[in-house]
Amino acid sequence: DARTVLGLYLSQINHFVEARAEVEPIARLASERGYRKRLCQIQSVIGAYFGYVDEDLAKAIAVLDEVIRIANEEKDFITLIMASVFSGVFLSYDCDFEKAGKSIQRSIDFNTLANSQWGIAVMKAHFALLSYFYSGRIRPLRSLASEALKIAQGSGDPISRGISHTTYGVACYAKGLFE
């Protein structure tokens, strides 16, 4: 449990090499014992590693699809949100913007159910960047980035405000609004 939680925290701060090093030695044990909740969390960490470090998008997406399936069955919503975001990132990098948007939308929906304003803001900012900016859809990018920023400002959370401000800045840049 401790190694899995450490791996998750390391993934959240983008230390994917260290995260994998923490969870890989226990992956087989979790599988053999049928410890599905921790196994899907471990696989989430490993899937993120495949995408961000190995740059093997197909492998990362396949692992994360399985994580999402198991997390749904286990009702592990935190892992479901993390895996959906990672999946959305890699689908976007693979230029599958429609699937990327659906994956990120899943995270928006769960944050909405939880009434997590900072989570909604971050996920909408990610959606705007990954689904709209990378695909060149500037009008909806600016609209969603603006919405994310308003939600983040209302949340009072500095991290969501930082992410939303950055995405809004990208939207203004893409629109040619340099000042």
Side-chain angles (χ1 to χ4, degrees):
D1 288 344
R3 289 181 78 109
T4 302
V5 170
L6 179 57
L8 290 169
Y9 284 141
L10 288 166
S11 287
Q12 289 174 342
I13 60 171
N14 300 328
H15 289 247
F16 301 108
V17 173
E18 295 90 342
R20 181 180 179 186
E22 289 301 324
V23 300
E24 198 164 49
I26 59 171
R28 191 184 88 242
L29 182 62
S31 180
E32 288 171 357
R33 293 189 177 179
Y35 200 2
R36 289 171 47 91
K37 180 178 179 177
R38 289 299 187 206
L39 183 60
C40 80
Q41 294 170 345
I42 291 165
Q43 289 301 102
S44 178
V45 170
I46 293 171
Y49 174 91
F50 289 150
Y52 286 116
V53 179
D54 286 350
E55 298 179 0
D56 188 339
L57 300 179
K59 192 172 184 180
I61 292 165
V63 168
L64 292 166
D65 282 348
E66 180 66 8
V67 168
I68 290 166
R69 186 185 67 73
I70 295 170
N72 255 325
E73 291 172 3
E74 295 296 312
K75 306 216 182 317
D76 180 359
F77 300 117
I78 301 299
T79 303
L80 186 59
I81 290 169
M82 278 184 62
S84 294
V85 172
F86 289 147
S87 179
V89 168
F90 302 139
L91 286 162
S92 176
Y93 290 173
D94 203 31
C95 298
D96 194 339
F97 303 114
E98 185 176 331
K99 281 186 182 177
K102 288 178 182 176
S103 192
I104 300 294
Q105 184 62 51
R106 184 181 311 115
S107 296
I108 293 170
D109 294 344
F110 279 110
N111 277 285
T112 300
L113 285 172
N115 196 28
S116 171
Q117 296 302 298
W118 71 267
I120 295 167
V122 168
M123 294 305 116
K124 285 188 178 213
H126 283 348
F127 188 107
L129 189 65
L130 296 168
S131 194
Y132 293 150
F133 177 69
Y134 290 154
S135 67
R137 297 173 61 202
I138 305 307
R139 187 168 291 135
L141 161 68
R142 187 153 182 250
S143 175
L144 189 57
S146 178
E147 184 181 335
L149 183 55
K150 285 177 188 167
I151 295 167
Q153 287 172 328
S155 78
D157 174 66
I159 294 172
S160 67
R161 285 194 342 252
I163 291 168
S164 297
H165 272 284
T166 301
T167 301
Y168 187 74
V170 168
C172 289
Y173 173 80
K175 192 76 173 158
L177 303 172
F178 302 119
E179 61 278 345

